[in-house]
Amino acid sequence: MKKQNAVKAWKMLVMALPKGIAAFVVAIVGLSVGLPLLVILIGLPLLSATLVLCRRFMKEEASYTKAWLNKADHHSAPAVTEPVSGQKGWLALLSPFREGQSYRGIVYSILQLPIGIAAFTTAIVLPVTAFAVMLSPLAYEVSIRLFDFNLFPDAWMMDRLNIDLSSAQRSWIAGGVGLIFVLLQPMILRNLGR
């Protein structure tokens, strides 16, 4: 179950970028098109739709996160629906402008792009770096045998500790650190998902 949660957390972090791009584009395009067209009243329905969509993005993400934190499947979470008001015409069109959640939805949607970039980058870089460091002994052997290049010539850390190790031994130490980092990945990903 823990491994599954780590995989779900990783998927959530990776999917944060496309969701962030979509939310950002909807918010920016809606505001950029709707605000100038307010002068001729065409912008009013565009801005209203933008506010409703951004609020819906925020509520769906909140329900997804709540379901994930409660260890329930996202598909079993109740669907987010907009409250149906008995208003028609202009009053229904103006109702999103009176709700504070609509404006928080806009801010949320705009902030989703930098958050999505950070989450996606973290989800890709952490596992790749951990596996790369874990494979240091293999990289050392390949570089020495095929290219006659020493990947670990500098022992600056070991010199400070007064330990004399060969380059091969330093590569195995780096590999051990990488292995520990690989073993910690599920816990790190689960915590980042939260």
Side-chain angles (χ1 to χ4, degrees), residues 33-48:
V33 173
L35 285 174
L37 291 177
L38 265 178
V39 176
I40 54 175
L41 296 179
I42 295 173
L44 194 60
L46 291 173
L47 281 175
S48 181

Side-chain angles (χ1 to χ4, degrees), residues 26-137:
V26 165
I28 295 300
V29 169
L31 290 174
S32 299
V33 173
L35 285 174
L37 291 177
L38 265 178
V39 176
I40 54 175
L41 296 179
I42 295 173
L44 194 60
L46 291 173
L47 281 175
S48 181
T50 301
L51 290 172
V52 168
L53 276 172
C54 289
R55 184 178 62 210
R56 186 173 292 158
F57 287 153
M58 184 176 69
K59 286 183 177 181
E60 284 178 357
E61 189 69 24
S63 71
Y64 180 80
T65 304
K66 190 175 186 179
W68 187 81
L69 287 175
N70 293 333
K71 297 186 184 353
D73 193 275
H74 172 57
H75 301 293
S76 66
V80 176
T81 57
E82 292 296 322
V84 178
S85 63
Q87 302 169 347
K88 293 187 179 186
W90 286 99
L91 290 177
L93 195 60
L94 294 175
S95 67
F97 293 99
R98 292 184 294 224
E99 298 174 11
Q101 276 193 340
S102 298
Y103 300 107
R104 283 194 299 270
I106 289 286
V107 172
Y108 167 83
S109 296
I110 291 171
L111 290 177
Q112 280 305 102
L113 183 63
I115 291 169
I117 290 170
F120 179 81
T121 303
T122 303
I124 298 299
V125 169
L126 283 179
V128 168
T129 303
F131 281 107
V133 173
M134 185 182 75
L135 295 175
S136 291

